């Protein structure tokens, strides 16, 4: 993140923090107080989360004031800027990494045998990130074979190591 | 004193078995490799290994984790020297002088000096660990609810201050968010389930290890993949083992950096990276050749490496004596101790004093292994740095997933890992430090129970805190820590200093 964008980011996060803190305070106030059990009023479950909610809220307000002083409220979000950001190689790599890892962790694991899910994830990850349009076909094929080999070996090794050496049940 | 020495020698003798020594060697070597690879940190290494070794006997498992920790903090110096990218945050100060040395073709010597510096720093750390843990532990027996509550707040505040020096409010926010995360799940006094929204998994609370694997593992993977590729310096590695004279020249720097490292390490949540920076800064101020710093000074290199490895010993002191971790990897180590049925904290010197000296013996073994392995196989290990990130990172993610899953065999922990990884990435992008978040998760329970107990005992009169000397001192320190970052305090401080100087001159 660039230094000059920080007040804008702080402006947004401070609002998120203030909303979050209000939600925490309200939920803490709604927590039971166990009067019928004769509980000490200072032992109720909502007291510490409530104090934390207030503290986070105060810090959020401090951050909000500071970001407004630094002109962070002029967000200046535009479609062009967003499209520009999406075209940067770093943004593409970032989004691809998150997408692939989420597919593996939330989609593949548990819905197919672990070793197959892991093989698919590692191989596809390597192939996608090493793909270079300008390269010759022969080189592309070679890279793909290497990716498949790594995927196979890594998936088999991790599965075997965890199942037999560390005695952990695989997902 | 002699009891302690006997317990230490007995523990050391107990570890002299071929299988244990084999474990020491592989765990330290793995630590060095993890430390070397940018994107893999000591915290991640220890967290992943905790999940892998939890079926081993307690002593063996904790020994493996300590070896991995010491190895990783040292290992990061390799990439700092060769790539100008610290392998772990603890080696950032190492890169300042280490990399210029590599560019001058002195990479081998730089690696040798860094290894020796790490070794000597660790030795200072071990000495302080053995001496101060029992002392602080016995002192902490006087701590009651008020003291633990103020200590928890102090830990979060100072950790926030030191890990976000430019913008401490972000450090404090991270710390308080961590404290809030600890509120999720069943609380300890009335067994009421908080903030679970009817989810059975959340009712059990957020487990520390999956959260840490996410914050320190997954978020780093995203960071590494987002950034540009790294270039390894093409340099010949010649003589590695340094001459004794070269090292002994800096004996003052070594002792000073060691003590500073231990002290900074022992401050809750602050850690090895700050230990290295503070040692480096002091060395520069005290040096006869400050102009060489930043251009390839051996003194700067040795102070940074001495500082971060001394901090390793330092971070374990509050783990054992107070049950509060000195740094993120020490936090995982503490969690691992709980998993293995050891309860670190003030009662350890009463319940389990042998364990304290067993830990000292473990750190000693790790240090010796680090020294031997650090000076051998250097040329071969440099090749590890050339593994492309596209091939390495998916495998690391697979390990993060299985590591999060392993402890409880629960897919919900994988979700926790992913969510905390994304949160950690966003926080890093927005300049929020992640260490206070983790410290907050650990201290949240201590804060919750002790604040409520203190309120019950004092019938709601929290001002009683000021009647208790220890908590009063901790509160004063907390306020001073917060104020020290405000601009008017700094102006006031510099004006006072100027005034004092002019008075002395008069």
């Amino acid at each position: 993140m660039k230094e000059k964008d920080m007040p804008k980011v702080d402006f947004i996060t401070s609002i998120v923090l203030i909303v979050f803190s209000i939600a925490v305070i309200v939920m803490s106030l709604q927590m039971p107080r166990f009067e019928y059990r004769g509980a000490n009023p200072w032992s109720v479950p909502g007291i510490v989360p409530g104090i934390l909610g207030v503290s986070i809220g105060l810090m959020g307000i401090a951050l909000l004031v500071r970001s407004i002083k630094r002109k962070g409220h002029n967000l200046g979000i535009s479609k062009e800027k967003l499209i520009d950001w999406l075209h940067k190689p770093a943004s593409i790599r970032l989004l691809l990494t998150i997408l692939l890892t989420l597919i593996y962790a939330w989609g593949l694991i548990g819905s197919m045998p672990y070793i197959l899910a892991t093989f698919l994830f590692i191989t596809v990850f390597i192939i996608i990130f090493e793909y270079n349009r300008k390269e010759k076909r022969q080189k592309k094929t070679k890279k793909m074979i290497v990716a498949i080999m790594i995927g196979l070996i890594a998936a088999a090794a991790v599965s075997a190591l965890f199942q037999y050496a560390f005695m952990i049940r695989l997902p | 004193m002699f009891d302690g020495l006997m317990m230490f020698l007995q523990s050391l003798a107990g570890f002299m078995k071929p299988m244990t020594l084999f474990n020491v060697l592989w765990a330290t070597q793995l630590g060095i490799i993890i430390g070397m690879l940018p994107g893999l940190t000591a915290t991640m290494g220890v967290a992943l290994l905790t999940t892998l070794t939890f079926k081993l006997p307690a002593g063996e498992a904790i020994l493996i984790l300590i070896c991995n920790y010491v190895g990783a903090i040292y290992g990061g110096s390799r990439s700092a020297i060769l790539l100008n990218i610290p392998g772990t945050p603890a080696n950032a100060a190492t890169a300042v002088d280490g990399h210029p040395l590599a560019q001058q073709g002195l990479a081998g010597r730089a690696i040798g000096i860094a290894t020796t510096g790490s070794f000597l720093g660790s030795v200072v750390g071990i000495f302080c660990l053995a001496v101060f843990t029992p002392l602080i532990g016995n002192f902490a027996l006087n701590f009651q609810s008020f003291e633990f509550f103020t200590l928890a707040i102090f830990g979060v505040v100072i950790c926030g201050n030191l890990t976000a020096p430019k913008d401490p409010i972000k450090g404090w926010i991270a710390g308080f968010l961590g404290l809030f995360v600890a509120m999720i799940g069943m609380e300890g006094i009335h067994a009421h389930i908080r903030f679970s929204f009817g989810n059975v998994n959340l009712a059990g609370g957020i487990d520390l290890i999956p959260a840490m694997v996410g914050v320190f593992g997954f978020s780093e993977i995203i960071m590494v993949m987002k950034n540009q590729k790294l270039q390894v310096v093409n340099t010949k590695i010649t003589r590695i083992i340094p001459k004794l004279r070269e090292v002994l020249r800096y004996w003052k720097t070594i002792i000073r950096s060691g003590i500073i490292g231990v002290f900074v390490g022992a401050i809750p949540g602050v850690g090895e990276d700050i230990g290295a920076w503070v040692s480096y800064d002091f060395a520069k101020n005290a040096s006869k050749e400050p102009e060489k710093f930043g251009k390839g000074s051996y003194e700067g290199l040795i102070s940074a490496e001495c500082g971060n490895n001394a901090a390793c010993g330092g971070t374990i002191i509050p783990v054992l004596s107070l049950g509060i971790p000195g740094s993120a990897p020490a936090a995982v180590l503490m969690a691992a101790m709980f998993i293995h049925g050891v309860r670190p904290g003030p009662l350890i010197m009463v319940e389990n004093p042998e364990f304290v000296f067993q830990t000292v013996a473990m750190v000693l073994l790790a240090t010796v292994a680090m020294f031997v392995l650090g000076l051998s196989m250097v040329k071969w290990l440099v090749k590890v740095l050339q593994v492309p990130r596209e091939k390495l990172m998916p495998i690391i993610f697979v390990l993060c997933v299985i590591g999060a899953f392993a402890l409880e065999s629960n897919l919900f922990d994988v979700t926790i890992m992913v969510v905390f990884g994304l949160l950690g990435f966003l926080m890093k992008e927005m300049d929020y430090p992640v260490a206070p978040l983790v410290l907050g998760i650990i201290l949240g329970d201590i804060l919750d129970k002790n604040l409520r107990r203190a309120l019950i005992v004092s019938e709601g009169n929290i001002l009683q805190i000021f009647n208790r000397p220890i908590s009063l001192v901790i509160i004063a320190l907390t306020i001073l820590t917060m104020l020290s970052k405000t601009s008017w305090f700094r102006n006031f401080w510099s004006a006072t200093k100027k005034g004092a100087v002019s008075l002395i001159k008069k």
Side-chain angles (χ1 to χ4, degrees):
Chain A
M1 190 88 42
K2 283 177 198 156
E3 199 67 36
K4 71 174 173 53
D5 291 333
M6 213 40 93
K8 293 177 190 174
V9 173
D10 287 351
F11 180 74
I12 299 170
T13 41
S14 67
I15 292 172
V16 173
L17 283 171
I18 292 168
V19 172
F20 172 74
S21 76
I22 293 170
V24 170
I25 295 167
V26 170
M27 281 191 271
S28 304
L29 287 173
Q30 285 170 345
M31 279 182 197
R33 310 209 177 147
F34 302 110
E35 284 110 343
Y36 62 91
R37 283 193 207 166
N40 187 312
W42 295 105
S43 72
V44 297
I47 197 160
V48 179
I51 293 173
L52 292 177
V54 172
S55 316
I56 294 171
L58 289 176
M59 287 187 279
I61 292 169
L63 200 63
L64 179 74
V65 172
R66 199 185 69 180
S67 68
I68 291 175
K69 272 189 194 165
R70 295 180 185 173
K71 307 267 184 309
H73 55 290
N74 297 329
L75 289 176
I77 300 173
S78 65
K79 216 174 171 183
E80 291 77 38
K81 276 188 188 168
L82 198 68
I83 292 170
D84 266 4
W85 183 82
L86 280 174
H87 279 94
K88 280 185 193 161
S91 314
I92 296 170
R93 281 200 302 266
L94 166 72
L95 293 176
L96 261 179
T97 308
I98 294 177
L99 182 75
L100 290 172
T101 46
L102 290 189
I103 290 177
Y104 173 64
W106 286 344
L108 298 184
I109 292 264
S111 64
M112 60 174 76
Y114 175 80
I115 191 164
L116 179 64
T118 306
F119 161 71
L120 281 177
F121 169 69
I122 295 175
T123 310
V124 172
F125 193 101
I126 298 174
I127 291 174
I128 288 183
F129 277 99
E130 288 196 333
Y131 180 77
N132 185 348
R133 218 173 22 186
K134 291 170 196 156
E135 274 174 358
K136 281 184 188 157
R137 199 162 169 194
Q138 211 178 0
K139 200 168 181 194
K140 278 183 197 163
T141 322
K142 197 182 154 199
K143 270 186 176 175
M144 209 178 279
I145 293 169
V146 172
I148 292 171
M149 296 289 284
I150 294 174
L152 270 177
I153 295 169
V158 171
S159 308
L161 193 70
F162 278 78
Q163 206 163 9
Y164 302 114
F166 298 125
M167 288 173 285
I168 288 164
R169 198 170 62 84
L170 296 174
Chain B
M1 186 73 198
F2 283 106
D3 283 354
L5 192 64
M6 282 311 291
M7 279 191 253
F8 165 72
L9 291 175
Q10 273 169 359
S11 314
L12 201 59
F15 287 130
M16 291 300 148
K17 293 176 209 146
M19 194 56 204
T20 313
L21 293 177
F22 173 69
N23 282 342
V24 167
L25 284 178
W26 74 256
T28 314
Q29 187 66 69
L30 185 67
I32 295 176
I33 294 174
I34 288 173
M36 275 172 74
L37 291 165
L40 307 190
T41 58
T43 317
M44 184 182 181
V46 182
L48 283 178
L49 265 187
T50 303
T51 62
L52 305 186
T53 54
F54 82 107
K55 295 233 166 130
L56 291 178
E60 291 283 316
I62 294 168
L63 174 66
I64 288 174
L65 299 181
I66 288 181
C67 288
N68 197 259
Y69 173 28
V70 174
I73 294 295
Y74 155 72
S77 67
R78 291 284 169 85
S79 41
I81 292 168
L82 296 170
L83 295 176
N84 200 22
I85 305 258
T88 72
N91 312 92
T94 312
V96 179
D97 280 304
H99 190 63
L101 283 170
Q103 283 173 324
Q104 292 160 26
L106 297 168
R109 272 180 86 181
I111 289 173
I113 290 274
T115 312
T116 320
S118 296
F119 173 73
L120 295 171
S122 255
V123 170
V124 178
I126 292 166
F127 180 75
C128 294
L129 180 65
V131 173
F132 290 113
T133 309
L135 289 180
I136 298 175
N138 287 330
F139 176 67
L141 283 173
N142 300 321
F143 281 26
Q144 287 174 2
S145 302
F146 282 109
E147 284 76 17
F148 274 109
F149 157 64
T150 44
L151 197 64
I153 295 284
F154 173 69
V156 167
V157 168
I158 196 160
C159 177
N161 250 35
L162 291 174
T163 50
K166 270 196 294 181
D167 206 356
I169 193 169
K170 292 191 172 176
W172 304 334
I173 291 174
F176 275 80
L177 284 177
L179 290 174
F180 173 77
V181 171
M183 299 295 121
I184 299 171
M186 193 185 285
E187 48 94 23
I189 295 185
H190 295 291
H192 175 69
I193 295 167
R194 299 185 288 205
F195 306 107
S196 73
F197 308 101
N199 184 318
V200 186
N201 289 309
L202 275 180
I206 305 273
D207 271 336
L208 180 70
I209 301 273
M212 287 191 83
V213 171
V215 168
F216 290 99
F218 182 31
S219 75
E220 281 296 326
I221 295 174
I222 306 176
M223 279 283 186
V224 171
M225 289 311 295
K226 183 188 161 219
N227 294 332
Q228 290 298 318
K229 281 188 182 176
L230 310 169
Q231 292 297 327
V232 182
V233 173
N234 251 335
T235 172
K236 271 189 187 168
I237 294 176
T238 47
R239 186 168 64 86
I240 293 154
I241 299 172
K243 286 180 189 148
L244 197 61
R245 193 161 38 89
E246 280 176 349
V247 178
L248 287 182
R249 251 181 81 190
Y250 303 117
W251 66 273
K252 274 189 202 162
T253 311
I254 291 167
I255 294 173
R256 187 189 329 104
S257 307
I259 293 170
I260 292 171
V262 171
F263 180 75
V264 175
I267 299 173
V270 176
E272 308 79 10
D273 43 346
I274 316 274
W277 278 119
V278 178
S279 309
Y280 183 80
D281 218 35
F282 270 79
K284 192 176 176 182
N285 287 335
S287 173
K288 286 176 193 157
E289 307 163 314
E291 71 285 350
K292 281 193 183 168
F293 278 66
K295 293 172 192 150
S297 156
Y298 286 123
E299 197 178 1
L301 180 63
I302 217 166
S303 68
E305 272 306 302
C306 209
N308 64 24
N309 268 79
C312 287
T315 60
I316 304 176
I317 297 175
V319 166
L320 293 175
S321 58
L322 298 172
I324 289 175
S327 70
V332 196
L333 202 60
M334 196 174 98
M337 287 177 186
F338 275 112
I339 291 170
H340 287 287
V342 180
R343 278 189 344 127
L347 285 176
I348 201 162
M349 284 313 291
V350 181
E351 286 174 352
N352 200 355
E354 303 86 16
F355 183 74
V356 173
F357 296 99
Q358 224 176 351
T359 311
V360 177
M362 289 177 189
V363 183
L364 179 70
L365 282 177
T367 304
V368 173
M370 173 204 86
F371 190 56
V372 174
L373 293 169
L375 292 178
S376 48
M377 294 194 289
V378 175
K379 285 174 201 170
W380 176 78
L381 266 186
V382 171
K383 290 201 170 67
V384 175
L385 284 176
Q386 288 155 355
V387 177
R389 59 182 181 166
E390 290 82 3
K391 293 191 172 81
L392 188 65
M393 289 301 140
I395 300 175
I396 302 297
F397 184 71
V398 165
L399 292 177
C400 287
V401 169
I402 190 120
F405 175 83
L407 277 186
E408 305 266 340
S409 294
N410 186 354
L411 275 177
F412 180 72
D413 284 339
V414 176
T415 303
I416 295 287
M417 185 275 288
V418 169
V419 170
F420 274 81
L422 294 173
L423 179 72
F425 169 71
L426 279 178
M427 285 175 67
K428 284 178 197 168
E429 281 284 285
M430 296 189 293
D431 273 356
Y432 286 81
V434 288
L437 176 84
V438 170
L439 187 71
I441 301 179
I442 295 163
L443 296 184
D445 190 45
I446 298 177
L447 175 96
D448 184 35
K449 277 189 197 141
N450 288 294
L451 174 58
R452 285 196 281 163
R453 275 184 205 143
L455 283 170
I456 295 169
V457 171
S458 64
E459 291 181 348
N461 183 8
I462 195 75
L463 294 178
Q464 278 195 16
I465 269 184
F466 298 105
N467 292 340
R468 304 181 61 89
I470 302 173
S471 52
L472 191 64
V473 170
I474 302 175
I475 286 195
L477 282 175
T478 311
I479 294 173
L480 202 68
T481 313
M482 291 182 102
L483 287 182
S484 68
K485 289 290 172 182
T486 54
S487 50
W488 67 263
F489 183 88
R490 264 178 278 166
N491 294 342
F492 169 75
W493 182 245
S494 59
T496 323
K497 258 197 339 201
K498 268 184 203 163
V501 170
S502 62
L503 269 179
I504 291 165
K505 277 182 184 167
K506 272 181 194 171

